[in-house]
Amino acid sequence: MQYIAAAIVAAFAALAASYGNGQVISKTLEGIARQPEASGSLRSTMFIGVGMIEAVPIMAIVIAFMLLQK
């Protein structure tokens, strides 16, 4: 049962991170299309946001591994 719980945690974390990254990137591209002169600042902000979003599934995987150790 622990293996199923860990797999569900990993799957939902990956799904949520991919959805979040897609939203961030699409909105950044919309912003660049509307204001091309702001592309540098938008791009750097996007990379920070994507990095923060990617931290969540990494923590979820760590929690899943912790569940497997018990």
Side-chain angles (χ1 to χ4, degrees), residues 10-20:
F12 280 125
L15 185 69
S18 63
Y19 178 75

PDB file of all heavy atoms in Angstrom, residues 10-20:
ATOM      1  N   ALA A  10       3.894  10.964  -6.436  1.00  0.00           N
ATOM      2  CA  ALA A  10       4.795  11.330  -7.529  1.00  0.00           C
ATOM      3  C   ALA A  10       4.016  11.716  -8.776  1.00  0.00           C
ATOM      4  O   ALA A  10       4.370  12.680  -9.472  1.00  0.00           O
ATOM      5  CB  ALA A  10       5.747  10.174  -7.824  1.00  0.00           C
ATOM      6  N   ALA A  11       2.952  10.985  -9.066  1.00  0.00           N
ATOM      7  CA  ALA A  11       2.171  11.279 -10.266  1.00  0.00           C
ATOM      8  C   ALA A  11       1.478  12.630 -10.174  1.00  0.00           C
ATOM      9  O   ALA A  11       1.514  13.424 -11.128  1.00  0.00           O
ATOM     10  CB  ALA A  11       1.139  10.178 -10.483  1.00  0.00           C
ATOM     11  N   PHE A  12       0.849  12.912  -9.045  1.00  0.00           N
ATOM     12  CA  PHE A  12       0.175  14.200  -8.899  1.00  0.00           C
ATOM     13  C   PHE A  12       1.166  15.355  -8.863  1.00  0.00           C
ATOM     14  O   PHE A  12       0.873  16.443  -9.366  1.00  0.00           O
ATOM     15  CB  PHE A  12      -0.716  14.216  -7.663  1.00  0.00           C
ATOM     16  CG  PHE A  12      -2.040  13.534  -7.883  1.00  0.00           C
ATOM     17  CD1 PHE A  12      -2.446  12.516  -7.055  1.00  0.00           C
ATOM     18  CD2 PHE A  12      -2.861  13.918  -8.923  1.00  0.00           C
ATOM     19  CE1 PHE A  12      -3.654  11.887  -7.252  1.00  0.00           C
ATOM     20  CE2 PHE A  12      -4.078  13.301  -9.138  1.00  0.00           C
ATOM     21  CZ  PHE A  12      -4.482  12.274  -8.302  1.00  0.00           C
ATOM     22  N   ALA A  13       2.319  15.141  -8.279  1.00  0.00           N
ATOM     23  CA  ALA A  13       3.334  16.199  -8.256  1.00  0.00           C
ATOM     24  C   ALA A  13       3.819  16.511  -9.666  1.00  0.00           C
ATOM     25  O   ALA A  13       3.963  17.682 -10.038  1.00  0.00           O
ATOM     26  CB  ALA A  13       4.497  15.788  -7.367  1.00  0.00           C
ATOM     27  N   ALA A  14       4.063  15.477 -10.453  1.00  0.00           N
ATOM     28  CA  ALA A  14       4.513  15.694 -11.826  1.00  0.00           C
ATOM     29  C   ALA A  14       3.424  16.357 -12.663  1.00  0.00           C
ATOM     30  O   ALA A  14       3.699  17.259 -13.463  1.00  0.00           O
ATOM     31  CB  ALA A  14       4.927  14.372 -12.445  1.00  0.00           C
ATOM     32  N   LEU A  15       2.190  15.939 -12.470  1.00  0.00           N
ATOM     33  CA  LEU A  15       1.073  16.521 -13.214  1.00  0.00           C
ATOM     34  C   LEU A  15       0.878  17.989 -12.863  1.00  0.00           C
ATOM     35  O   LEU A  15       0.721  18.840 -13.749  1.00  0.00           O
ATOM     36  CB  LEU A  15      -0.200  15.732 -12.926  1.00  0.00           C
ATOM     37  CG  LEU A  15      -1.435  16.127 -13.721  1.00  0.00           C
ATOM     38  CD1 LEU A  15      -1.242  15.748 -15.181  1.00  0.00           C
ATOM     39  CD2 LEU A  15      -2.642  15.435 -13.151  1.00  0.00           C
ATOM     40  N   ALA A  16       0.905  18.299 -11.588  1.00  0.00           N
ATOM     41  CA  ALA A  16       0.719  19.689 -11.156  1.00  0.00           C
ATOM     42  C   ALA A  16       1.870  20.577 -11.616  1.00  0.00           C
ATOM     43  O   ALA A  16       1.653  21.717 -12.030  1.00  0.00           O
ATOM     44  CB  ALA A  16       0.578  19.745  -9.642  1.00  0.00           C
ATOM     45  N   ALA A  17       3.087  20.061 -11.565  1.00  0.00           N
ATOM     46  CA  ALA A  17       4.242  20.858 -11.997  1.00  0.00           C
ATOM     47  C   ALA A  17       4.195  21.114 -13.500  1.00  0.00           C
ATOM     48  O   ALA A  17       4.499  22.225 -13.952  1.00  0.00           O
ATOM     49  CB  ALA A  17       5.533  20.153 -11.628  1.00  0.00           C
ATOM     50  N   SER A  18       3.804  20.117 -14.271  1.00  0.00           N
ATOM     51  CA  SER A  18       3.736  20.323 -15.720  1.00  0.00           C
ATOM     52  C   SER A  18       2.639  21.319 -16.080  1.00  0.00           C
ATOM     53  O   SER A  18       2.811  22.157 -16.970  1.00  0.00           O
ATOM     54  CB  SER A  18       3.528  18.996 -16.445  1.00  0.00           C
ATOM     55  OG  SER A  18       2.288  18.430 -16.072  1.00  0.00           O
ATOM     56  N   TYR A  19       1.506  21.256 -15.388  1.00  0.00           N
ATOM     57  CA  TYR A  19       0.438  22.224 -15.629  1.00  0.00           C
ATOM     58  C   TYR A  19       0.897  23.633 -15.237  1.00  0.00           C
ATOM     59  O   TYR A  19       0.679  24.595 -15.979  1.00  0.00           O
ATOM     60  CB  TYR A  19      -0.812  21.837 -14.839  1.00  0.00           C
ATOM     61  CG  TYR A  19      -1.940  22.826 -15.013  1.00  0.00           C
ATOM     62  CD1 TYR A  19      -2.680  22.857 -16.183  1.00  0.00           C
ATOM     63  CD2 TYR A  19      -2.242  23.731 -14.008  1.00  0.00           C
ATOM     64  CE1 TYR A  19      -3.701  23.761 -16.347  1.00  0.00           C
ATOM     65  CE2 TYR A  19      -3.262  24.641 -14.158  1.00  0.00           C
ATOM     66  CZ  TYR A  19      -3.993  24.652 -15.332  1.00  0.00           C
ATOM     67  OH  TYR A  19      -5.002  25.561 -15.489  1.00  0.00           O
ATOM     68  N   GLY A  20       1.529  23.762 -14.093  1.00  0.00           N
ATOM     69  CA  GLY A  20       2.017  25.063 -13.647  1.00  0.00           C
ATOM     70  C   GLY A  20       3.058  25.648 -14.577  1.00  0.00           C
ATOM     71  O   GLY A  20       3.022  26.843 -14.894  1.00  0.00           O
TER      72      GLY A  20
END
